Amino acid sequence: MQTAIKVEQLSKSYGNLLAIDQISLSVKYGTVYGLLGANGAGKSTTIECILGTKKADSGTVSVLGLNPKEDRRRLFQNVGVQFQENNYQPEIKVSELCDETACLYKAPADWKTLCEKFGIGSKIDHAVKNLSGGERQRLFIVLALIPNPKLVFLDELTTGLDTKARRDVWKILSELKDNGLTIFLTSHFMDEVEALCDEICILKKGKAVFYGTVEQAKKASGCEKFEDAYLMLFGEVVEE
């Protein structure tokens, strides 16, 4: 299977703070890869260096066979990004925001169909500021999928969603993966990671402390539950 993302010996410092320390990872096409860790572990910096929006101090990155710094324009057309916080004009409508986003790409997906699929089809004439937290979160996922990408980055994708909405999003993403989409996600929800991720990397203070599958994490930690395995591998004591 070909590699969608290849990261080798990636490091980045902010002054005296070493944010990521010689991280290497490989993401196969058509899979879901989870980057896990507590707040401040280095997840956002890793993603920004992979995307080329921040310059790493050392190491190499290949995304869809391209250099994210040198080939940013070509890469832009094939990569979708959903971040946790997004700032838009307060009065902009969902339809206007989706239209503006679609205009940036050569072959965008049908955003109305995506809105229907993610349960916000009835909200397209509403101002983004009037959406609930869960509706905004689903809109941000739609915006990441409008490019019709080969690869999408999703940051805490189901924060603010109720249980049914989370399961609905999982189902849609699993279908998209089955159709060839590669998904790189961060999440603090271990049930979500267990449901979606083919492989994971756990970061602690900028260092990778585990690579592998959820089942391998359970085996390596000796824990039956993945949440316990994550805490054990992260270095937290799991109380009986």
Side-chain angles (χ1 to χ4, degrees):
M1 188 180 289
Q2 288 183 307
T3 303
I5 302 173
K6 184 76 173 174
V7 176
E8 294 181 314
Q9 301 293 303
L10 196 69
S11 294
K12 173 70 177 175
S13 294
Y14 300 106
N16 293 325
L17 174 66
L18 186 58
I20 50 174
D21 185 5
Q22 296 191 326
I23 292 172
S24 298
L25 58 85
S26 180
V27 180
K28 301 179 186 75
Y29 275 105
T31 64
V32 180
Y33 195 97
L35 187 64
L36 313 182
N39 291 333
K43 302 188 300 297
S44 295
T45 299
T46 300
I47 289 174
E48 287 168 334
C49 288
I50 290 172
L51 288 169
T53 55
K54 278 205 173 131
K55 185 179 179 182
D57 298 330
S58 59
T60 60
V61 177
S62 171
V63 181
L64 303 180
L66 300 171
N67 181 310
K69 277 287 189 186
E70 296 172 5
D71 303 304
R72 183 175 295 182
R73 189 170 292 180
R74 284 174 65 194
L75 205 54
F76 176 80
Q77 292 293 329
N78 292 298
V79 175
V81 182
Q82 170 261 331
F83 291 115
Q84 208 170 345
E85 297 295 332
N86 293 272
N87 294 310
Y88 303 111
Q89 304 98 307
E91 301 297 333
I92 195 167
K93 292 181 180 178
V94 171
S95 57
E96 293 169 336
L97 184 55
C98 289
D99 250 342
E100 284 184 11
T101 303
C103 286
L104 300 172
Y105 300 95
K106 293 176 183 175
D110 183 338
W111 61 261
K112 288 183 181 177
T113 301
L114 285 172
C115 286
E116 289 290 345
K117 188 176 280 192
F118 281 91
I120 54 170
S122 63
K123 303 290 182 177
I124 62 173
D125 291 324
H126 291 226
V128 173
K129 70 172 187 177
N130 293 332
L131 300 182
S132 69
E135 288 165 347
R136 275 199 301 274
Q137 193 69 1
R138 280 176 277 172
L139 171 60
F140 299 153
I141 298 171
V142 166
L143 294 173
L145 294 173
I146 284 176
N148 221 353
K150 294 177 181 177
L151 167 66
V152 67
F153 289 81
L154 302 173
D155 184 18
E156 302 296 337
L157 75 159
T158 60
T159 297
L161 302 188
D162 61 35
T163 302
K164 183 183 182 304
R166 288 178 72 218
R167 295 295 176 96
D168 289 345
V169 169
W170 294 356
K171 185 172 183 291
I172 294 164
L173 293 177
S174 293
E175 290 170 358
L176 290 169
K177 183 190 88 165
D178 290 342
N179 288 326
L181 181 66
T182 305
I183 301 170
F184 190 101
L185 64 83
T186 69
S187 179
H188 288 299
F189 299 118
M190 295 304 120
D191 58 338
E192 181 163 278
V193 173
E194 197 161 11
L196 293 176
C197 292
D198 297 293
E199 292 186 276
I200 59 172
C201 170
I202 300 175
L203 297 183
K204 180 179 182 180
K205 295 180 180 176
K207 278 184 173 289
V209 295
F210 177 81
Y211 294 102
T213 66
V214 166
E215 289 305 314
Q216 286 168 343
K218 291 180 188 176
K219 189 173 181 180
S221 64
C223 299
E224 289 184 15
K225 294 181 180 177
F226 176 56
E227 188 169 286
D228 291 343
Y230 165 77
L231 290 171
M232 184 76 74
L233 292 164
F234 192 72
E236 298 290 335
V237 175
V238 180
E239 295 183 2
E240 295 295 335

